[in-house]
Amino acid sequence: MASGSGIRGVDLVADVMQEEMKSSRNHMKRCFARFVATGKRLMKRREVMEEVERSIEDNVERAQVLEGQLGFIFSSTQEAAVIPPYVALAIRPKPGIWEYVMVNAGDLEVEVTTAREYLKLKEAVFDENWANDDNSLEIDFEAIDFSTPRMALHSSIGEGLSSITKLMTSRISTDGQSAKSFLEFLLALNHHGENLMIDQNLNTVLKLQAALIAAEAFISTIPENEPIENFEQRIKELGFEKGWGATAARVKETMHMLSELLQAPAPQEMHLFISRLPMIFNVAIITPRGYFSQSDALGLPDTGGMVVYILDQVRALEEELLQRIKKAGLAVEPKILVVTRLIPDAKQTTCDRELEPIFKTEHSYILRVPFKTAEGVVLHQWVSRFDSYPFLERFAQDAAAKTMEYMDCKPDLVIGNYSDGNLVASLIASKLEITQGSIAHVLEKTKYEDSDAKWKDLELKYHFSCQFTADLIAMNQSDFVITSTYQEIAGSQSTPGAYESYREFTMPGLFRVVSGINVFEPKFNVACPGADNSVYFPFREKERRLTDVHPDIEELLYNKGDNNEHLGFLANGKKPIIFSMARLDKIKNITGLTEWYGKNKRLRSLVNLVVVTGSFDLAKSEDREEAAEIKRMHSLIEKYQLKGQLRWIAGQIDACRKGELYRCVADTRGAFVQPALYEGFGLTVIEAMNCALPTFATNQGGPAEMIEDGISGFLIDPNNGDESSNKIADFFEKCKEDPEYWDSISMAGLYRIYSCYTWKIYAIKLLNMGCGYGVWRQMNKEQKLAKRRYVQMLYNLLFRNLANNVPAPIEEPQGQTPMLETKPPEPAPKPETAPPKPTSEPREEDFPEK
């Protein structure tokens, strides 16, 4: 499908379109006549392009139009609302930039229109009475966001902290009130009531500057390695408290940074100084969905890679926190709590335990709080993420109280996960007045086409009215948003990002969002997670391989009998394996991969297919979407007669065994395939590449940024199964001709991981965000308060009513009673150090910190 040259930034789309249609008037008359011929409808980009192409019969003339500016406008049209004789186009010439035009199909007059008017035309397709109601509820966050700056460049999207740092630096240098706010923030730093950095006597910028000069002069006389304990009394007399550093050199360096900032601020100096501030010791990570357990949970409903993500995140955060606290010269123990739901009917997991130490940490725990009804009755069974909204407010209240009880103070930073966890984090952050970060992982709104406009059709099953309202609240309440990729925020040139989809949208009969979230806001930050390198390491590192589980994996892959762990068999065990592992839901597209394989005889002749999903037994599934995919999977096996070529394995919950499974697939000279229709990030892609297993991954979402196509792996189109399966087959045919080709892709993937995707890099970025946005809260507190009041209004007047309309789940007979802890258990022992990696492989330590 062709798409023409772009439009200059200074030109309005409407003006260009009007001018260009003059030279193609006959073609455009036919085109717009086709648009309106079937009456009211909502057209998507592919339908618009198909109608344009059908309207121009001559191949040469069609090419001229499509390769010109009209072609660019039509290919940039994400959707069109048709209300004869008008066709309203939502045009996205660049990521994050939208323009709306209305064309009269009769005379081809083009008018600029607003987002509000476009949405009203779109609503008329679904609910004309609502569209014409002057009192329809409109949500407009731009109307009250009067001072937050917007970034101008597309390349700056996802670099919010950098933008905020520049802004704070500029304000301190030009605005005396901002410098005062910055000083007030420093004066407020404390830990359990003990002042840090500066005491209350240094309450003006001039006093602080003078004290810094005196302190620097004094410290210059002390040996650089002198411990802080040997001179802290002297600097205390000058007005300085603990927290500047552990040695004289560190203290002097940090004081010099602040002195420079107060005289001639520079963004890089500001970033470094703020990253050293002793302001984060206690972190609460909120994730109420699914079964959050360190063992026996993966594959259960709503429970997947997110559990692994958070546990690895916690370990990296604790390690970085300990290093920062030590460098600051403080004797403080941090605490990280993963706050999740306590489920009395915990199945085989530990979800019925209130407090549980996190493996391989010393100061981190899982804290579980039950869901309760309005009457205070504890829910015993799992509740789907789509049905949890009535319980979140009470959960937030109880979680805040329990967190403060175990921490003996407020957390310094709260981080939400997914729509439900982000809403809870918003309620906690608002109540406790603390810095909030949010991580969506995946936003359901982009997973289901037209789920906003057609929300009424989906409400009984998914309750999107609650979810999308919760998303709006959390996005706007959060101080910062963490994504794994740029595409999550602003998409690609042709496809909007998940967050971008909340910019302007409508849910007819409920509300119209004329300004929801702007991807140019400096709250968005890309921080790519990694994989646990003690579990996911290259298959060539023979001395680290878990040979004791090889017999189990051999049985898992090649035993020809069916049991409760595997189904199907591989008749030819000498062929390479293409391997995929994911939850069995529609978006992960495991059934799509199976169908690609079934249809492609060439691919079937080259490789076997092994898939690992939650379950293959329909009777054991508690999730409606998973049940539908299980049925489809069984029918595909029969339809394409895949017995002897496909192995279907139940979900693997042991991470170490899972890591060795990737490596055993690599031993076969196989590949990992991640075929999702959309993937926000893709932890399994990171895991596979960490194990040096060549990887094919979806080009829809995060993996498109992770993999350099044809160099460090391959990108495949999940919407074009024939093309994707042939691309995989081409790879294996080339490997048969040139075995070194497989090795080159394997090694390039490993280099890519170590240079960009490690938990060390992630933890540094996240804590820098917590510090930077914590300072920004103080310097921008009036705007923060205005937005918070708007958010509270939405929550109290809209969300509460929506949540109360979600039907209560039907409880089965009660299972086991929860195990409540009365005090934190002893810290888990430190893990043994893994053997060093051989120098023949690229090593993570070969790549500099970022």
Side-chain angles (χ1 to χ4, degrees), residues 146-163:
F146 52 82
S147 67
T148 303
R150 298 289 182 265
M151 297 180 293
L153 302 176
H154 298 92
S155 58
S156 298
I157 294 174
E159 297 182 3
L161 180 59
S162 175
S163 178

Side-chain angles (χ1 to χ4, degrees), residues 517-572:
I517 194 74
N518 189 329
V519 297
F520 288 95
E521 277 194 58
K523 66 167 54 184
F524 289 99
N525 296 271
V526 175
C528 308
D532 184 344
N533 288 334
S534 68
V535 174
Y536 303 101
F537 54 85
F539 76 99
R540 296 181 184 89
E541 296 184 11
K542 301 297 184 182
E543 75 284 356
R544 296 180 66 191
R545 295 286 296 271
L546 308 181
T547 54
D548 56 329
V549 301
H550 282 190
D552 292 340
I553 292 176
E554 184 79 12
E555 193 278 338
L556 196 65
L557 291 174
Y558 297 113
N559 184 292
K560 293 190 176 180
D562 292 344
N563 58 31
N564 60 4
E565 195 174 18
H566 52 71
L567 185 73
F569 66 95
L570 306 179
N572 183 354

Side-chain angles (χ1 to χ4, degrees), residues 189-260:
L189 287 174
N190 75 91
H191 179 258
H192 284 282
E194 181 182 3
N195 287 341
L196 298 174
M197 302 290 282
I198 60 178
D199 70 23
Q200 301 304 310
N201 293 320
L202 302 181
N203 55 8
T204 69
V205 173
L206 288 176
K207 287 181 182 179
L208 178 56
Q209 286 176 317
L212 286 167
I213 292 170
E216 280 193 72
F218 164 69
I219 297 169
S220 296
T221 66
I222 301 174
E224 288 189 350
N225 293 329
E226 191 77 12
I228 181 66
E229 293 81 7
N230 294 350
F231 60 91
E232 64 180 338
Q233 184 57 40
R234 175 62 183 124
I235 64 171
K236 185 175 179 65
E237 292 168 3
L238 294 171
F240 297 104
E241 305 288 352
K242 296 177 181 178
W244 292 92
T247 65
R250 181 84 172 187
V251 172
K252 181 182 177 182
E253 189 178 66
T254 308
M255 285 185 169
H256 185 73
M257 284 180 187
L258 180 56
S259 187
E260 288 289 309

Side-chain angles (χ1 to χ4, degrees), residues 567-568 580 582-585 589-598 609-618 625-643 645-649 675:
L567 185 73
S580 193
R583 294 190 315 276
L584 194 57
D585 60 24
N589 201 31
I590 295 294
T591 52
L593 171 62
T594 303
E595 185 155 35
W596 303 350
Y597 180 78
L609 174 62
V610 173
V611 296
V612 177
T613 68
S615 176
F616 48 74
D617 187 346
L618 190 60
E625 192 169 308
E626 180 188 56
E629 289 296 288
I630 289 173
K631 285 182 182 178
R632 183 168 183 238
M633 192 76 174
H634 282 290
S635 69
L636 289 171
I637 292 171
E638 293 301 319
K639 179 179 179 180
Y640 294 106
Q641 298 180 350
L642 296 178
K643 290 181 180 178
Q645 292 183 295
L646 179 143
R647 179 69 134 197
W648 187 359
I649 300 173

Side-chain angles (χ1 to χ4, degrees), residues 258 268 282 341 351 399 445 490 496 580 599 699 810 836:
L258 180 56
Q268 184 61 25
N282 300 296
R341 186 190 159 204
C351 291
K445 187 169 177 293
S580 193
K599 287 181 175 180
N699 63 7
I810 300 173

Side-chain angles (χ1 to χ4, degrees), residues 283-324:
V283 181
I285 297 172
I286 314 297
T287 175
R289 71 168 53 185
Y291 293 82
F292 196 97
S293 178
Q294 296 180 87
S295 59
D296 302 324
L298 297 182
L300 291 174
D302 291 338
T303 310
M306 175 269 296
V307 173
V308 178
Y309 176 106
I310 292 176
L311 291 174
D312 287 344
Q313 175 196 56
V314 166
R315 294 181 186 109
L317 283 177
E318 181 182 289
E319 183 178 340
E320 182 62 22
L321 272 176
L322 287 168
Q323 288 182 16
R324 292 188 178 205

Side-chain angles (χ1 to χ4, degrees), residues 818-839:
M819 297 167 59
L820 303 180
E821 299 283 353
T822 57
K823 62 179 182 179
E826 292 299 315
K830 292 183 179 180
E832 295 181 6
T833 304
K837 298 177 182 179
T839 55

